[in-house]
Amino acid sequence: MPGEPSRFGGGPTLRQLAPEHRLRRLELLVTRRLDGLLHGQHLGLLPGPGSEFTGAREYRPGEDEVRRMDWAVTARTTLPHVREVDADRELTTWLLVDSTPSMDFGTAELDKRELAVAATAAVGFLTAGTGNRLGAHLLDGTGIRRLPARTGRTHLLGLLNLLLTAPRRDTIGPAPSLADAVTTLHRAARGRGLAVLVSDFLDGLPDSEGGTPDWEPAVRRLGVRHQVLAVEVVDPRELELPDVGLITLVDPETGRRREVGTADRRLRERYAAAAAGQRELVRQALRRSGAAHLPLRTDRDWVADVVRHVHTQRRLAGAARPPAAAVRGGAV
């Protein structure tokens, strides 16, 4: 449950298992625990539109996109209306999974990379269905690896195995930015679908207050064509420092080192304040980009967090749908 470590049915932790056993554990966890709590063919990772027109409702400023305006109904009623559509029966999901060196950090049961794999498994198994396709772009310290969109459990398990067995890279060198990776995904994912970004979103953050992450425009462009879900992966030690004396901090992206005396209470408070400001900057940037935001932590029950997100999205979808009687009565 929230605030508790994520367990995988007792026994050894996920990182202690062989890759094939980790795949089996992830599949059982998602298909049994999540599927037992969530029902339906499309389990509502996002409530957004599909392509089949079902009606119209009044426009809500700040909530609805202008591109969904139904101008015919608006002209007839003299009130702004937006189109209502049902979810597409066949869904194409595109994943961008961040496996850069900053994701190799973790102080709880999972490290961030393993939690990213778990999130990928949840998205893959929850969107699986007849005709549904899954494609992925994998960003690591050397470049972007592209996997075409395909159907089937074998394709999904192959993607998860690739993520689980990818080598941890100790070398520091130039790599594509998160902004470049999102842009590459946007160019490849031509048809409308669901785009899921799994990252810590630490790349490209501004050095000073008042700036914006350099990936924000790319995420906004991606959202013009696709529904976007941003899965933010965080470790608790990125949010606050423990009082453990003198430690050496290493930037995994650049290799820079710095010794820090954690016994200084004011330093720990400044660190926590800066980390909170950084997370808020990411949250606001994702919100401005129109992406749904799902934060996951390595020290929490990530399954419960996914379930909570899905239930929230379903409530939002239900609140946005007009009563059937109103549509039949000719109100729209």
Side-chain angles (χ1 to χ4, degrees):
M1 295 308 296
E4 299 177 356
S6 175
R7 300 296 176 186
F8 292 80
T13 63
L14 184 66
R15 69 176 66 181
Q16 295 171 325
L17 297 173
E20 61 272 16
H21 294 153
R22 281 186 279 177
L23 280 176
R24 182 61 177 161
R25 183 75 66 88
L26 280 172
E27 183 175 10
L28 288 175
L29 181 67
V30 173
T31 56
R32 287 183 178 179
R33 188 174 173 192
L34 282 185
D35 199 34
L37 296 170
L38 307 169
H39 305 283
Q41 180 181 4
H42 297 292
L43 296 175
L45 286 167
L46 289 175
S51 59
E52 185 177 350
F53 176 65
T54 60
R57 61 169 173 79
E58 286 193 27
Y59 169 76
R60 296 190 182 101
E63 297 181 18
D64 296 323
E65 300 175 8
V66 176
R67 61 192 173 96
R68 292 178 54 205
M69 293 292 292
D70 190 321
W71 297 110
V73 176
T74 297
R76 187 168 67 250
T77 62
T78 69
L79 293 173
H81 279 72
V82 293
R83 295 170 62 90
E84 284 280 86
V85 291
D86 275 341
D88 294 323
R89 295 189 179 276
E90 292 186 359
L91 176 70
T92 299
T93 300
W94 288 95
L95 280 153
L96 172 59
V97 185
D98 186 351
S99 296
T100 54
S102 69
M103 298 290 287
D104 290 335
F105 178 75
T107 60
E109 182 177 340
L110 302 175
D111 64 23
K112 293 196 297 180
R113 182 190 289 222
E114 291 164 335
L115 184 53
V117 177
T120 301
V123 171
F125 287 119
L126 289 179
T127 57
T130 304
N132 292 349
R133 301 189 305 159
L134 179 71
H137 284 201
L138 312 180
L139 172 64
D140 62 21
T142 61
I144 302 172
R145 182 167 182 177
R146 302 167 179 84
L147 280 72
R150 293 174 179 167
T151 62
R153 175 176 174 273
T154 301
H155 174 62
L156 172 58
L157 292 179
L159 166 62
L160 296 176
N161 185 65
L162 182 63
L163 290 171
L164 287 171
T165 58
R168 308 287 176 120
R169 302 190 182 278
D170 298 327
T171 58
I172 305 298
S177 67
L178 181 59
D180 291 338
V182 174
T183 299
T184 301
L185 180 68
H186 181 224
R187 291 170 179 168
R190 297 185 179 278
R192 182 175 176 82
L194 170 64
V196 182
L197 313 177
V198 185
S199 175
D200 54 15
F201 294 96
L202 293 177
D203 178 52
L205 296 183
D207 295 328
S208 59
E209 294 184 6
T212 59
D214 64 6
W215 43 257
E216 181 180 337
V219 175
R220 187 182 298 115
R221 288 192 297 269
L222 184 67
V224 172
R225 182 184 302 163
H226 304 280
Q227 298 170 260
V228 179
L229 171 62
V231 181
E232 180 189 10
V233 180
V234 180
D235 186 85
R237 291 286 78 85
E238 295 175 318
L239 304 177
E240 59 182 12
L241 285 176
D243 183 359
V244 292
L246 186 66
I247 61 174
T248 300
L249 301 180
V250 181
D251 185 340
E253 303 285 352
T254 65
R256 294 176 56 190
R257 296 172 177 266
R258 182 173 182 177
E259 290 191 343
V260 175
T262 60
D264 187 336
R265 178 178 58 85
R266 288 180 296 179
L267 182 144
R268 297 198 306 273
E269 290 174 349
R270 292 197 303 271
Y271 179 94
Q278 191 179 63
R279 293 297 99 193
E280 178 63 16
L281 177 65
V282 170
R283 189 184 71 84
Q284 292 289 350
L286 292 174
R287 181 178 180 180
R288 289 191 300 266
S289 301
H293 183 201
L294 172 55
L296 298 179
R297 288 177 48 145
T298 60
D299 62 338
R300 289 174 60 101
D301 186 341
W302 64 269
V303 178
D305 288 336
V306 171
V307 170
R308 185 181 301 104
H309 173 82
V310 171
H311 283 312
T312 298
Q313 298 304 321
R314 283 180 168 178
R315 286 197 301 269
L316 291 174
R321 186 178 298 277
V327 177
R328 289 195 300 269
V332 294

